[in-house]
């Protein structure tokens, strides 16, 4: 994993999620710092339409394998070693062996299926790479397509780690089929989320800062900024939005009953219009459950955590240097 003639190692991480397959290729210029060389995102909806996502549909497998082949080619063009991890859609599927075999044979990518705990740990590690929060007690929430990961910790070792079946696609399939939103369905969705969150509430005590990372959180932040009358910034990293703003975004989304209506909401990526309501409800309920009055956005999450973890595996070392991010 080292470049020629002592050049810094170039690594590639692929995150195979329920909604999208993401690639990041980066050169490690320091133990805590990566220079991003390429990014690629393919929205494949690997776990869509499956209810409780017990099986991967054949067309979803086709899209996933094709995305992996494209992303492997990008990584190889940069001379990067690839580490690919799969999350809830693959780990819950009874026929995951089909996808894993085809990924290896047809795309040349060996996929590592990670547990919910490991996913949350890597997300937390990714956040520590991006934000000056190593010395603060943080609550991290990552709302994916199939699951939501919640991590409470200070420093490198998380204290509370939970992976909950509260993904945006999973909840959309259950409460908002075909993307149609009705008031009674929103109420049922909220109650379901509250019930799933309840056991974790007892495990989470004080924290200094809530951090949200994922496409859902970024979409909500962009809509909140648009509602303020602000344009989209070059980066959402460290952008802070209030709990009231998150709630207002949910209200705006639920006032738009159809996917077509929601596509017209300022700040919303039209490709997320069918699943964003469920994801936004989860974020709203998480902030309410844990009493967070505001949340900071992290653009780094699982992929960046995989990069850092891979670097540590090969080169060793600890994460204590991250406490120096704020000063640098």
């Amino acid at each position: 994993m080292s470049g020629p003639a002592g050049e810094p190692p170039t690594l590639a991480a692929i995150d195979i999620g329920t909604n999208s397959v993401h690639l990041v290729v980066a050169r490690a210029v320091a133990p805590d710092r990566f220079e991003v060389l390429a990014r690629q995102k393919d929205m494949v909806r690997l776990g869509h339409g499956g209810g409780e996502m017990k099986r991967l549909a054949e067309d979803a497998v086709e899209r996933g394998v094709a995305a992996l082949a494209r992303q492997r080619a990008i990584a190889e063009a940069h001379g990067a070693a690839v580490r690919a991890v799969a999350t809830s859609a693959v780990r819950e599927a009874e026929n995951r062996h089909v996808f894993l075999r085809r990924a290896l044979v047809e795309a040349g990518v060996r996929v590592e299926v990670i547990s919910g705990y490991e996913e949350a740990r890597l997300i937390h590690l990714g956040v520590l790479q991006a934000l000056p929060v190593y010395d603060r007690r943080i609550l991290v929430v990552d709302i994916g397509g199939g699951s939501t990961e919640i991590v409470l910790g200070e420093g490198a070792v998380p204290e509370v780690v939970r992976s909950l079946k509260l993904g945006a696609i999973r909840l959309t399939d259950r409460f908002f089929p075909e993307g149609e939103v009705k008031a009674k369905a929103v109420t049922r969705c909220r109650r379901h989320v509250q019930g799933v969150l309840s056991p974790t509430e007892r495990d989470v005590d004080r924290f200094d800062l809530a951090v949200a990372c994922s496409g859902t959180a970024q979409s909500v932040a962009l809509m909140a900024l648009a509602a303020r009358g602000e344009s989209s910034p070059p980066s959402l990293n460290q952008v802070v939005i209030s709990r009231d703003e998150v709630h207002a975004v949910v209200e705006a989304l639920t006032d738009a009953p159809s996917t077509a209506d929601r596509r017209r909401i300022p700040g919303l990526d039209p490709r997320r219009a069918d699943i964003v309501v469920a994801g936004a409800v989860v974020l709203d309920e998480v902030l309410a459950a844990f009493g967070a009055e505001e949340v900071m956005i992290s653009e780094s999450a699982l992929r960046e955590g995989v990069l850092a973890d891979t670097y540590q595996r090969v080169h060793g070392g600890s994460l204590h240097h991250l406490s120096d991010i704020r000063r640098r």
Side-chain angles (χ1 to χ4, degrees):
M1 291 189 182
S2 296
E7 289 182 5
T10 301
L11 310 174
I14 298 178
D15 163 14
I16 304 166
T18 304
N19 187 45
S20 305
V21 178
H22 291 261
L23 164 77
V24 60
V25 182
R27 181 182 295 116
V29 295
D32 65 321
R33 199 152 45 91
F34 293 89
E35 176 190 354
V36 175
L37 305 176
R39 290 187 184 273
Q40 174 72 19
K41 174 183 176 181
D42 292 295
M43 193 172 284
V44 299
R45 295 289 169 90
L46 200 58
H48 205 22
E52 283 303 303
M53 301 193 303
K54 293 300 184 184
R55 293 188 65 81
L56 299 173
E58 185 175 343
D59 60 335
V61 172
E62 293 281 352
R63 292 192 299 271
V65 171
L68 285 176
R70 288 191 295 271
Q71 295 187 3
R72 180 187 61 80
I74 294 171
E76 285 189 346
H78 290 276
V82 175
R83 182 180 173 195
V85 300
T87 57
S88 61
V90 177
R91 71 173 170 252
E92 293 182 36
E94 296 169 347
N95 62 335
R96 60 183 174 275
H97 63 281
V98 175
F99 175 75
L100 297 176
R101 184 179 65 249
R102 292 189 57 185
L104 181 60
V105 173
E106 299 175 30
V109 176
R110 186 179 299 278
V111 176
E112 174 187 347
V113 182
I114 59 175
S115 68
Y117 181 96
E118 178 67 358
E119 180 180 357
R121 185 188 73 83
L122 291 171
I123 288 166
H124 179 248
L125 181 55
V127 168
L128 293 180
Q129 304 297 311
L131 303 179
V133 294
Y134 186 89
D135 297 321
R136 303 179 71 183
R137 190 171 175 81
I138 61 172
L139 179 72
V140 178
V141 54
D142 185 295
I143 304 163
S147 63
T148 288
E149 276 61 49
I150 294 176
V151 186
L152 174 71
E154 182 175 349
V157 181
E159 297 174 23
V160 176
V161 177
R162 298 289 183 270
S163 181
L164 309 175
K165 293 184 178 182
L166 293 176
I169 290 179
R170 187 192 300 271
L171 296 181
T172 295
D173 286 346
R174 179 169 178 174
F175 296 101
F176 313 114
E178 309 303 323
E180 296 299 314
V181 175
K182 297 178 181 178
K184 288 184 178 179
V186 174
T187 299
R188 290 198 303 272
C189 182
R190 283 191 182 278
R191 288 175 179 167
H192 174 75
V193 173
Q194 291 164 4
V196 175
L197 284 173
S198 181
T200 304
E201 287 181 54
R202 296 190 289 270
D203 299 327
V204 174
D205 56 8
R206 62 169 187 84
F207 55 91
D208 301 321
L209 176 70
V211 175
C213 47
S214 67
T216 288
Q218 292 181 41
S219 293
V220 171
L222 287 170
M223 285 183 280
L225 293 178
R228 291 180 191 172
E230 299 180 16
S231 57
S232 301
S235 170
L236 285 170
N237 226 40
Q238 299 192 56
V239 165
V240 176
I241 56 175
S242 70
R243 176 177 154 192
D244 288 343
E245 287 179 306
V246 172
H247 190 74
V249 166
V250 175
E251 292 293 305
L253 288 169
T254 54
D255 284 343
S258 73
T259 299
D261 292 331
R262 291 190 293 279
R263 287 195 179 109
R264 292 191 285 270
I265 296 177
L268 176 60
D269 181 346
R271 296 174 299 174
R272 285 190 169 270
D274 57 338
I275 64 169
V276 70
V277 175
V281 166
V282 173
L283 181 59
D284 195 18
E285 292 297 335
V286 166
L287 298 182
F290 299 113
E293 293 302 323
E294 61 183 24
V295 61
M296 178 181 287
I297 304 299
S298 169
E299 289 187 326
S300 294
L302 180 58
R303 295 175 297 285
E304 291 75 15
V306 170
L307 286 177
D309 186 67
T310 304
Y311 184 92
Q312 286 177 285
R313 288 186 182 189
V314 175
H315 298 278
S318 71
L319 291 173
H320 295 296
H321 55 270
L322 290 173
S323 62
D324 205 34
I325 283 181
R326 184 186 302 274
R327 182 185 65 77
R328 286 194 294 99

